[in-house]
Structures are given as C-alpha cells and as structure tokens.
Amino acid sequence: MIPLTPWVKRLIFANAVVFMLSYVAPQVYLSGRLIPAAVLVRPWTVLTYMFLHAGLGHLFFNMLGLFFFGPRLEERLGSTDFLRLYFWGGLGGALFSFVFAPQFSVVGASAAVYAVLMGFAMFWPRERIYIYFVLPVEAWLLVAAFVVISFVLGFGGAGGPTAHLAHLGGLVSGFAFLRLRHWKRGAARREFRRKVQDASPATVSDRTAIQRWESIDTAMLHELNRQEVQTLLSKARGEGVRALTHDERAFLDRMTTRH
C-alpha cells in the first residue's frame, strides 16, 4: 500500500467529512456548490465546491486518484507546493467554468485532482498507470487523453452533467503552476551554479553530500521513491553532485531528514 503523505491524508479526510455532512444537511451542498454566474455574491464557493460531491461514486473516484497520484507528488514537491498545486487546480476549474459555462453549477474535487495528475505526468511521464488495474498507459499519454476528452466534450456540449471544462481548467492550471514554479526556481538555480563555478572544486562537499544521501534507509521508502533515490544516487556518484538539478537535490535531502 502506498503510504499516505500528510496533506493527501488530510484532503481525503476533509472531502469525506464534507460529503457526509452535505448528505445529512443538504443546505451545506446547496450553499457550497459553485454557480459561476453568481460567484460575485457567493465568492466562498470557489473553494467550497472542491469539497462537495454529487454522489458516493463521484467522491470515490476523485479520492482514488488523489490516493494513487498524490503521495509521490507531495514527496517530490514538498507539502506546501503540493497544497498550492491542488488548490491552484481547483481555482483553475472554477475560472474555466466562470468563463465558458457560467450557467451550470459545479461540485467536486476533480479539477484539483486533475492538477495533481498533471503534476505526476510532468515528473514521471513514462510511469505506467493501469486503467481498471488491467490496461497499462504511460502517464503522459493518459493526461493527453484527458486534455483532448475534456476539450472536446466541454466545448462540444456532449458531456452531459460532468464539468469537463472544470477538468480542463484543472489540467491547464496544474501545468501553469508547475511551469511557473520551475521558472521561479531557475533564477536561484543559475545563481547556485554561478557560485559553484566561481568557487574552488567542491569534491569534499560532494563526497559529504553523497555520504549523507547514502544514509537514507531505502527499506522504509515506497518502492517508487526507493527507485528514484537509487537512480539519483547513481547519477551523483557517476557524474557528480552538480549534475543533479535543484529539485533532485531537494528530494534527496527530504528523504534524508525523513528517515
């Protein structure tokens, strides 16, 4: 079983609690759903709609996606950026609904979960995902299919009650958030490289870093994280610590402090 990370666990719990609350008190559902055309008089709904679901199946599949794709991504991004990505996706879904389908009410964590799926595919595009636990599809291809489906059904008007435009908004917003995050970190990365180039060779500090990362207890990690730690360590040993990106070093440092 994939170990649940802190915010994945809390988000699943919050969605389940709100679903039960809305079941016994329908007014919670009615006052919390997003009606894009009325967002100026109901501004709280751009957040509350993410925790409401139209039925048990709707809740189950959204939380299943969060359960499978969220933990590894939270480990990679860190809890703060993971949470930002999640809500950025939900707000993107609200924005797309407001612009393109203001007359339809929207509920569900789908846009936020789609942003998480987009993030997973951007970091691990070749990871195989088994549809219905049978059909293997690489992550990038699955996300590309979701983009096409959401676009065609959303703008083609054949999607029925499903908020395909909100799904599309979550995918686009998730991509935009991670690209912006990467761009912001680029300046810090370039500055780091400049300092490394200006300094004398850091072979001693490189060896220290590798020794620290080698102390990670990989037996305590999920298989996917364990494989990534081993891959990055092999890269650091063969090409040097400087060959690792800022995100890769940060990931190894997080694994060091957790175990």
Side-chain angles (χ1 to χ4, degrees):
M1 179 180 292
I2 299 175
L4 289 180
T5 44
W7 276 108
V8 169
K9 186 185 302 182
R10 291 167 188 155
L11 288 168
I12 291 175
F13 179 76
N15 275 276
V17 168
V18 173
F19 176 77
M20 290 186 289
L21 185 61
S22 66
Y23 184 79
V24 298
Q27 186 58 36
V28 172
Y29 181 93
L30 295 175
S31 62
R33 61 180 176 163
L34 173 66
I35 303 176
V39 72
L40 294 181
V41 295
R42 294 159 51 93
W44 63 88
T45 59
V46 299
L47 292 174
T48 56
Y49 94 96
M50 303 180 206
F51 295 92
L52 296 169
H53 290 82
L56 186 59
H58 189 200
L59 172 71
F60 174 78
F61 284 108
N62 277 338
M63 294 305 99
L64 188 66
L66 185 58
F67 175 86
F68 278 115
F69 302 117
R72 191 176 177 191
L73 191 60
E74 184 176 347
E75 289 276 12
R76 183 62 181 262
L77 294 177
S79 292
T80 300
D81 277 351
F82 173 79
L83 197 61
R84 287 173 179 164
L85 171 67
Y86 184 88
F87 282 104
W88 189 291
L91 292 174
L95 177 62
F96 269 53
S97 298
F98 176 80
V99 173
F100 300 112
Q103 69 276 27
F104 297 110
S105 65
V106 185
V107 294
S110 301
V113 173
Y114 271 47
V116 170
L117 177 57
M118 172 61 78
F120 187 94
M122 290 175 70
F123 282 107
W124 302 282
R126 297 293 182 180
E127 194 75 37
R128 289 190 173 186
I129 298 168
Y130 287 84
I131 306 299
Y132 297 113
F133 304 100
V134 176
L135 179 64
V137 178
E138 290 186 350
W140 74 269
L141 184 58
L142 180 63
V143 167
F146 280 149
V147 170
V148 172
I149 291 170
S150 298
F151 184 88
V152 171
L153 295 183
F155 289 104
T162 304
H164 292 288
L165 289 169
H167 297 172
L168 185 62
L171 291 165
V172 172
S173 298
F175 178 83
F177 173 83
L178 290 173
R179 293 307 300 171
L180 179 63
R181 177 180 181 270
H182 179 76
W183 178 81
K184 284 183 175 180
R185 292 186 168 214
R189 188 177 297 115
R190 288 190 294 272
E191 179 64 15
F192 172 79
R193 288 175 178 171
R194 183 189 66 77
K195 290 180 179 179
V196 168
Q197 290 171 353
D198 292 344
S200 57
T203 55
V204 174
S205 61
D206 282 6
R207 285 198 297 270
T208 301
I210 291 174
Q211 288 173 356
R212 186 174 71 253
W213 295 334
E214 286 176 337
S215 70
I216 298 171
D217 186 359
T218 56
M220 299 295 293
L221 300 178
H222 180 261
E223 181 182 355
L224 296 175
N225 286 329
R226 181 164 61 249
Q227 290 175 355
E228 187 153 6
V229 166
Q230 292 168 347
T231 298
L232 294 179
L233 269 175
S234 177
K235 181 179 178 181
R237 293 189 192 103
E239 303 175 34
V241 172
R242 301 178 197 179
L244 300 178
T245 67
H246 176 79
D247 285 344
E248 288 171 340
R249 290 192 297 274
F251 170 76
L252 287 171
D253 286 338
R254 267 200 307 278
M255 294 298 101
T256 302
T257 58
R258 286 175 61 88
H259 302 282

